[in-house]
């Protein structure tokens, strides 16, 4: 499949990224649904997703293969978190100066008073949005992927 076009080689990842963008949009530009979506992505990447392993590794298993699969899971989780961060920055970039303006009250922006004062609450909201959201999604993908790794395959033989 070396001669296939870029979009064809990476079709599953493009679909994952597009669904992530839609999840952020459905969540009204908050990453709540994108974080929940991360659990499904993590499970899919380990159980059904395409595995990209170096050519020199044996297919039978072993520590080198497991390390490569774990690195692949971490790389995919980081890539999805970066997609989420880019979408959030794109959507919220125009509001950042308003959030940092001390003359604007947090209640006017609809920001909850997380820290009992207007300015710290607005800054905490931005930190939650740009740091905690993508980090929580990364954690969701890794957690679900780890659970999928830990799940023992069922025996094909009858009882």
């Amino acid at each position: 499949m070396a001669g296939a076009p870029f979009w064809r080689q990476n079709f599953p990842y493009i679909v994952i990224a597009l669904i992530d963008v839609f999840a952020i949009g459905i969540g009204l530009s908050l990453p709540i649904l994108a974080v929940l979506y991360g659990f499904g992505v993590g499970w899919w990447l380990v159980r059904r997703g395409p595995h990209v392993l170096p050519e020199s590794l044996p297919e039978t298993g072993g520590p080198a293969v497991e390390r490569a699969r774990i690195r692949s899971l971490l790389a995919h989780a980081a890539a999805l978190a970066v997609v989420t961060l880019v979408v959030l920055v794109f959507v919220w970039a125009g509001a950042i100066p308003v959030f940092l303006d001390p003359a604007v009250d947090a209640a006017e922006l609809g920001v909850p008073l997380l820290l009992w004062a207007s300015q710290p609450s607005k800054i905490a909201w931005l930190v939650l949005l740009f740091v905690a959201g993508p980090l929580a999604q990364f954690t969701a993908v890794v957690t679900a992927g780890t659970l999928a790794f830990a799940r023992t395959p069922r025996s094909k033989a009858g009882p």
Side-chain angles (χ1 to χ4, degrees), residues 78-158:
L80 188 62
V82 166
V83 167
T84 300
L85 178 64
V86 166
V87 170
L88 290 174
V89 166
F90 180 75
V91 170
W92 287 91
I96 292 174
V98 176
F99 272 79
L100 298 178
D101 186 6
V104 177
D105 190 34
E108 295 175 19
L109 297 172
V111 174
L113 290 177
L114 300 170
L115 300 175
W116 297 285
S118 180
Q119 191 65 21
S121 293
K122 292 187 297 184
I123 293 171
W125 182 260
L126 290 176
V127 169
L128 281 173
L129 193 65
F130 294 121
V131 177
L135 187 62
Q137 187 180 39
F138 174 83
T139 306
V141 172
V142 171
T143 300
T146 303
L147 290 174
F149 274 135
R151 183 175 176 259
T152 57
R154 292 188 180 145
S155 173
K156 302 247 184 209

Side-chain angles (χ1 to χ4, degrees), residues 14-34:
I14 293 169
V15 170
I16 287 172
L18 287 174
I19 293 173
D20 184 50
V21 171
F22 287 129
I24 294 170
I26 291 171
L28 300 176
S29 71
L30 297 176
I32 296 168
L33 295 176

Side-chain angles (χ1 to χ4, degrees), residues 42-112:
W43 187 268
W44 181 82
L45 283 172
V46 171
R47 296 313 244 169
R48 306 242 188 258
H51 299 290
V52 180
L53 293 176
E55 295 292 326
S56 62
L57 293 177
E59 291 290 330
T60 58
V65 171
E66 292 305 315
R67 275 195 300 275
R69 291 180 70 199
I70 291 170
R71 283 187 190 128
S72 175
L73 175 66
L74 291 173
H76 287 93
L80 188 62
V82 166
V83 167
T84 300
L85 178 64
V86 166
V87 170
L88 290 174
V89 166
F90 180 75
V91 170
W92 287 91
I96 292 174
V98 176
F99 272 79
L100 298 178
D101 186 6
V104 177
D105 190 34
E108 295 175 19
L109 297 172
V111 174

